[in-house]
Amino acid sequence: MPFDLASRLAARHADNLYRQRPLLESPQGPEVVVDGRPMLAFCSNDYLGLADHPEVKAALQRGVERWGAGGGASHLVIGHSGPHHDLELALAEFTGRPRALLFSTGYMANLGAVTALLGKGDTVLEDRLNHASLLDAGLLSGARFSRYLHNDVDSLASRLEKAEGNTLVVTDGVFSMDGDLAELPALCAAAKARGAWVMVDDAHGFGPLGATGGGIVEHFGLGLEDVPVLVGTLGKAFGTAGAFVAGSEELIETLIQFARPYIYTTSQPPAVACATLKSLELLQRESWRREHLNKLIRRFREGAAEIGLTLMDSPTPIQPILIGDSARALKLSALLRDRGILVGAIRPPTVPAGSARLRVTFSAAHSEEQLESLLSALAECWATLAKEEAPDA
């Protein structure tokens, strides 16, 4: 039988790698209803708590009344509406770059940027832990593709020496499963020394990082010459949907002409752009959201250390608890769920073999009391897991 799908699915089950979709029956927020049960959630990327913000929702509603429900066509046909244009101008100003270009998803922004810039005879160098969309973009570009060791400048430098043609160094800003930051100043210096460009996907950095929420580039004080290609996602800290690429006039015009995922896709609903404009305003205006988020992160790391949990080196809202074994990660997640706490178990192939983890994420909408509830549940569940695994006396 050529397509033995049942065996593939059975193998996923046997390896504790089978994935299931929880059914969300409420808006995004700390307190949700999932699969019919009220839960306290620590697994969303809504880092600033804007997905259910009343001003953002009102902006979306006004946008629907003014602009209708759908984009109608691609940007290059008749789908580029006033709100799209206004949002691109606002994002360019926010990032301190001449231009910005909207994409319907972050995956498409990454595919579009890499494949428009590179082709046969060129080189793309990527961090080993980059998001799947970046790795897929590199493979689809047709360029010579190589992955350097995670955040290892020496490993990158050795590959840069062998690079041919136009060379693009591609990295996440904040690594989505580890929560650590790219060593961007050193990576940019190594790339610049060899005449290579740097592209950063700062999907998880915009909002939480930087003095004004401008992400990892702002965090490190870097500019357009250091990072010519900057990608941001709007479905995480912005609380809406879509993505953008920000850069020079020539870069954006090149993407408009050559980025197939941009050219051949219907634009996002204009009302979503209206909502994102309001999110951007709140992100910049309400700095208390980042301050509160950082307070939660510090307290969680202190509490987790007291319990004896192994955390990864992350200063961001992504706080993975390293477990190792996939079955153990699933068990700990299930124990927490039984106590009304929702934290996802992340397993291979999303993360390397032997590094299964619980990916705890925080939002500015979480209260200190909710954080303490998480820590109490973790302490109880961790002790229960250890007791169940202990050999009989």
Side-chain angles (χ1 to χ4, degrees):
M1 181 177 175
F3 290 98
D4 188 5
L5 304 184
S7 294
R8 292 177 65 187
L9 293 172
R12 275 271 161 140
H13 271 291
D15 294 336
N16 294 298
L17 301 179
Y18 197 80
R19 293 165 167 148
Q20 293 175 290
R21 299 178 298 175
L23 179 60
L24 180 65
E25 299 172 61
S26 64
Q28 289 287 340
E31 296 180 351
V32 296
V33 178
V34 173
D35 296 328
R37 287 187 56 196
M39 304 286 286
L40 181 56
F42 291 92
C43 50
S44 174
N45 297 326
D46 181 26
Y47 300 128
L48 296 183
L50 298 178
D52 193 41
H53 193 286
E55 291 186 44
V56 177
K57 292 191 292 185
L60 181 69
Q61 291 166 344
R62 290 192 301 271
V64 170
E65 290 299 319
R66 170 67 176 84
W67 297 96
S74 70
H75 284 273
L76 290 171
V77 178
I78 196 175
H80 190 64
S81 299
H84 298 134
H85 182 70
D86 292 342
L87 180 55
E88 288 181 345
L89 293 175
L91 289 169
E93 182 178 1
F94 176 58
T95 57
R97 287 160 185 257
R99 292 278 300 276
L101 187 70
L102 279 178
F103 283 79
S104 295
T105 69
Y107 215 113
M108 290 172 58
N110 285 333
L111 288 181
V114 175
T115 57
L117 292 173
L118 299 174
K120 189 175 181 180
D122 297 326
T123 303
V124 57
L125 304 175
E126 301 208 17
D127 190 291
R128 279 191 177 276
L129 298 189
N130 272 354
H131 188 265
S133 60
L134 294 172
L135 299 176
D136 287 355
L139 291 169
L140 288 169
S141 70
R144 181 181 177 186
F145 178 76
S146 179
R147 294 194 290 175
Y148 58 89
L149 299 177
H150 176 52
N151 252 344
D152 189 321
V153 178
D154 291 336
S155 176
L156 172 62
S158 69
R159 285 160 175 76
L160 281 167
E161 290 179 5
K162 304 168 188 173
E164 300 172 354
N166 292 320
T167 301
L168 188 66
V169 176
V170 181
T171 181
D172 278 310
V174 175
F175 290 88
S176 60
M177 293 299 125
D178 289 23
D180 58 335
L181 306 185
E183 299 287 349
L184 213 49
L187 295 172
C188 290
K192 191 177 291 187
R194 299 293 299 185
W197 272 20
V198 173
M199 171 176 160
V200 174
D201 175 11
D202 204 22
H204 299 269
F206 276 111
L209 292 182
T212 66
I216 192 166
V217 171
E218 182 183 46
H219 173 79
F220 283 121
L222 301 173
L224 180 64
E225 290 189 1
D226 305 294
V227 181
V229 188
L230 181 60
V231 180
T233 302
L234 304 172
K236 297 179 173 63
F238 285 82
T240 57
F244 66 93
V245 179
S248 67
E249 178 79 26
E250 293 78 10
L251 171 68
I252 300 307
E253 283 301 319
T254 297
L255 297 183
I256 291 171
Q257 300 302 320
F258 298 104
R260 292 166 66 86
Y262 179 82
I263 297 167
Y264 299 109
T265 301
T266 298
S267 65
Q268 66 172 214
V272 174
C274 295
T276 305
L277 280 163
K278 178 56 68 175
S279 294
L280 179 57
E281 177 190 323
L282 292 166
L283 184 156
Q284 295 175 286
R285 187 177 79 209
E286 298 184 347
S287 59
W288 65 263
R289 294 179 181 276
R290 285 185 295 281
E291 294 162 7
H292 178 63
L293 195 53
N294 289 329
K295 186 177 181 181
L296 294 176
I297 294 165
R298 287 193 297 270
R299 170 60 190 137
F300 175 74
R301 292 187 70 84
E302 291 170 1
E306 292 166 4
I307 297 168
L309 302 173
T310 300
L311 297 183
M312 305 188 77
D313 184 20
S314 168
T316 71
I318 302 166
Q319 292 292 319
I321 302 171
L322 189 59
I323 305 298
D325 179 71
S326 293
R328 288 189 79 218
L330 284 172
K331 178 64 175 176
L332 183 56
S333 178
L335 288 170
L336 287 168
R337 192 180 181 115
D338 290 342
R339 289 158 177 80
I341 306 286
L342 192 63
V343 180
I346 308 298
R347 296 151 288 155
T350 304
V351 294
S355 69
R357 69 209 50 187
L358 263 60
R359 182 180 182 266
V360 177
T361 56
F362 292 101
S363 167
H366 283 119
S367 68
E368 294 179 36
E369 292 75 20
Q370 289 168 336
L371 168 58
E372 294 303 328
S373 295
L374 170 64
L375 288 171
S376 296
L378 275 169
E380 185 179 341
C381 294
W382 190 244
T384 299
L385 190 64
K387 185 177 181 180
E388 289 181 357
E389 294 173 346
D392 294 335

